[in-house]
């Protein structure tokens, strides 16, 4: 089936109580690994590319790699999503490139660093929703800004700023009403990257209760957890055993993600764990076999390590086994859906 809009996938996940990982990619091996895992355990897929990923891989390469993924996996529902669009133009260019879903991250200004105002966020997100829905493309928005509560890392916030930029449930409710987004990313104390928490997170730094409250207020909105790599100890250990220098760190425990899924979380963004899995495998090959220099000798094991990781995520989030149930939904179907609902 052609690439599917994210809204259709998340609606199915909500109706069947599971979550889907939003998996960042930059190259062919990552796309192959995700597709191999999904094919093996019959999972719907959300592949996502950041602005940096689009620049690194080039839109044309990325588009054709995704078309290959679709061609080779005709029975799997696959969505291609713009991660952290910093402007309406970024989202529109993604739509032109065939992405079936975009994130307009208006929680930050266009520089992607400084927290913006609520009014700016609404204005830019509405603009994207209007044009995206007119062609059936889904939109994720964000209220609050990511940043670890312990020391503010993430969007470069101070600890106090990170606390002040957690998602406010009143504002989340208002934002969904004001913009008509399909999915809402919330700031609950997670941050991007490996260094999220200095100990296994407790409720004071990872505010799952905030997710519960937002879900109570917005039971029909699909919630998104960013910065949700679990940073598994074993992946840190492999890297460090083969010459790496990852300082001891903690991510978002799987059981907290599962608690989120019980409370409206339908998309769980993961990039760091994929990076760790691939880097550990590459370090191992190069350390154990210093004579090797064929990229296939290390990119192959990196791809295998990522396939294992992704398959485990799909099982942990309850995604596995649901691809076959998915009734195909096209951009045209979603366009008609938004028109019926008066959303465009
Ligand atoms: O949003 C964060 C993702 O991990 C993407 O990271 O901007 O380095 O590609 P990136
Ligand atoms: P991690 O850094 O925890 O993998 O988060 C990725 C993310 O949120 C991408 O948008
Ligand atoms: Zn993110």
């Amino acid at each position: 089936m052609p690439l599917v809009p994210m809204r259709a996938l998340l609606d199915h996940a909500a109706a069947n109580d599971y979550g889907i990982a939003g998996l960042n990619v930059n190259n062919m091996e990552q796309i192959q690994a995700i597709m191999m895992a999904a094919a093996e355990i019959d999972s719907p897929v959300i592949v996502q590319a950041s602005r940096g990923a689009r620049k690194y891989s080039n839109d044309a390469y990325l588009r054709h790699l995704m078309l290959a993924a679709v061609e080779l996996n005709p029975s799997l529902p696959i969505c291609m999503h713009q991660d952290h669009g910093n402007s309406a133009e970024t989202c529109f260019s993604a739509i032109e490139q065939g992405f079936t879903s975009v994130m307009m991250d208006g929680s930050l200004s266009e520089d992607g660093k400084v927290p913006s105002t609520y009014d700016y966020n609404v204005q830019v997100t509405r603009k994207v929703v209007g044009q995206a829905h007119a062609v059936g493309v889904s939109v994720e928005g964000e209220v609050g800004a990511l940043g670890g509560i312990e020391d503010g890392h993430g969007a470069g916030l101070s600890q106090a700023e990170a606390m002040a930029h957690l998602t406010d449930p009143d504002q989340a409710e208002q934002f969904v009403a004001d913009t008509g987004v399909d999915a809402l990313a919330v700031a609950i104390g997670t941050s991007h990257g490996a260094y999220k928490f200095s100990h296994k997170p407790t409720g004071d730094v990872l505010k799952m209760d905030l997710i519960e409250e937002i879900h109570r207020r917005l039971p029909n909105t699909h919630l998104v957890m960013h910065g949700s790599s679990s940073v598994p100890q074993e992946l840190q250990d492999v890297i460090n055993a083969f010459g790496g220098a990852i300082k001891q760190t903690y991510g978002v425990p799987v059981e907290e993600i599962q608690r989120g899924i019980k409370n409206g979380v339908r998309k769980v963004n993961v990039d760091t764990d994929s990076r760790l899995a691939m880097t550990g495998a590459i370090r191992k090959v190069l350390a154990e076999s210093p004579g090797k220099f064929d990229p296939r000798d290390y990119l192959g094991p990196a791809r295998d390590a990522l396939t294992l990781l992704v398959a485990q995520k799909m099982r942990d989030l309850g995604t596995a086994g649901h691809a076959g149930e998915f009734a195909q939904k096209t951009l045209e179907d979603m366009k008609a859906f938004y028109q019926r609902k008066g959303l465009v």
Side-chain angles (χ1 to χ4, degrees):
M1 69 182 84
L3 288 172
V4 299
M6 187 166 80
R7 171 67 184 260
L9 286 184
L10 301 188
D11 282 351
H12 187 268
N16 295 278
D17 299 319
Y18 65 93
I20 308 179
L23 297 159
N24 287 76
V25 299
N26 295 271
N27 69 11
M28 179 183 77
E29 281 78 7
Q30 290 173 316
I31 294 173
Q32 290 175 326
I34 293 166
M35 295 318 306
M36 286 192 272
E40 191 186 309
I41 54 178
D42 191 42
S43 274
V45 176
I46 299 174
V47 171
Q48 56 190 18
S50 66
R51 262 197 314 151
R54 287 178 60 193
K55 191 166 168 212
Y56 173 84
S57 57
N58 184 303
D59 278 340
Y61 281 112
L62 204 51
R63 185 173 69 253
H64 286 280
L65 286 168
M66 290 310 297
L67 291 175
V70 166
E71 182 182 320
L72 295 170
N73 298 276
S75 61
L76 293 181
I78 308 166
C79 165
M80 184 65 191
H81 174 77
Q82 166 76 56
D83 190 26
H84 291 285
N86 65 318
S87 66
E89 288 64 38
T90 297
C91 295
F92 298 153
S93 72
I95 295 170
E96 271 168 35
Q97 291 295 325
F99 286 52
T100 48
S101 178
V102 293
M103 175 186 193
M104 178 58 239
D105 184 358
S107 72
L108 300 176
S109 330
E110 201 167 327
D111 66 5
K113 295 191 175 80
V114 181
S116 66
T117 63
Y118 177 79
D119 289 345
Y120 165 81
N121 194 358
V122 167
Q123 169 252 313
V124 72
T125 306
R126 257 168 101 146
K127 182 172 169 189
V128 171
V129 168
Q131 296 212 30
H133 283 185
V135 291
V137 168
S138 318
V139 182
E140 173 184 336
E142 176 167 332
V143 178
L146 294 189
I149 293 173
E150 286 179 76
D151 60 4
H153 56 79
L157 306 179
S158 70
Q159 184 181 21
E161 281 169 334
M163 275 304 273
H165 287 95
L166 292 176
T167 302
D168 169 19
D170 287 338
Q171 208 170 63
E173 241 181 311
Q174 191 61 47
F175 184 79
V176 170
D178 285 346
T179 61
V181 288
D182 300 283
L184 182 69
V186 290
I188 55 162
T190 66
S191 56
H192 291 134
Y195 299 103
K196 302 181 193 305
F197 304 108
S198 61
H199 53 90
K200 188 173 173 192
T202 42
D204 52 335
V205 290
L206 177 59
K207 302 225 156 266
M208 297 307 297
D209 53 345
L210 202 47
I211 293 246
E212 291 172 0
E213 175 61 18
I214 296 166
H215 180 53
R216 258 194 298 279
R217 312 267 195 112
L218 291 165
N220 300 317
T221 298
H222 304 308
L223 303 181
V224 183
M225 281 173 68
H226 279 247
S228 289
S229 278
S230 297
V231 197
Q233 188 63 48
E234 58 273 22
L235 296 185
Q236 298 180 48
D237 291 345
V238 173
I239 291 181
N240 288 338
F242 295 102
I246 305 282
K247 290 179 291 204
Q248 181 60 49
T249 178
Y250 297 83
V252 182
V254 173
E255 58 275 17
E256 300 296 346
I257 291 169
Q258 289 167 338
R259 181 175 162 196
I261 290 170
K262 289 198 183 87
N263 289 281
V265 171
R266 299 295 156 224
K267 176 168 178 272
V268 179
N269 278 16
V270 172
D271 189 356
T272 296
D273 284 354
S274 308
R275 294 174 176 187
L276 293 171
M278 294 185 85
T279 298
I282 290 170
R283 278 194 172 279
K284 184 167 189 296
V285 172
L286 296 182
E288 287 179 342
S289 312
K292 288 197 166 160
F293 58 87
D294 181 339
R296 292 172 296 188
D297 286 338
Y298 51 87
L299 292 179
R303 184 174 62 187
D304 292 344
L306 182 55
T307 305
L308 283 178
L309 176 95
V310 170
Q312 191 56 47
K313 295 267 174 216
M314 287 168 169
R315 290 190 194 96
D316 290 343
L317 272 58
T319 335
H322 286 293
E325 300 160 359
F326 189 82
Q328 185 176 349
K329 286 261 171 58
T330 63
L331 289 172
E332 283 302 313
D333 294 331
M334 291 312 294
K335 191 171 138 182
F337 164 85
Y338 295 126
Q339 277 165 353
R340 272 198 311 279
K341 293 214 147 201
L343 292 174
V344 281

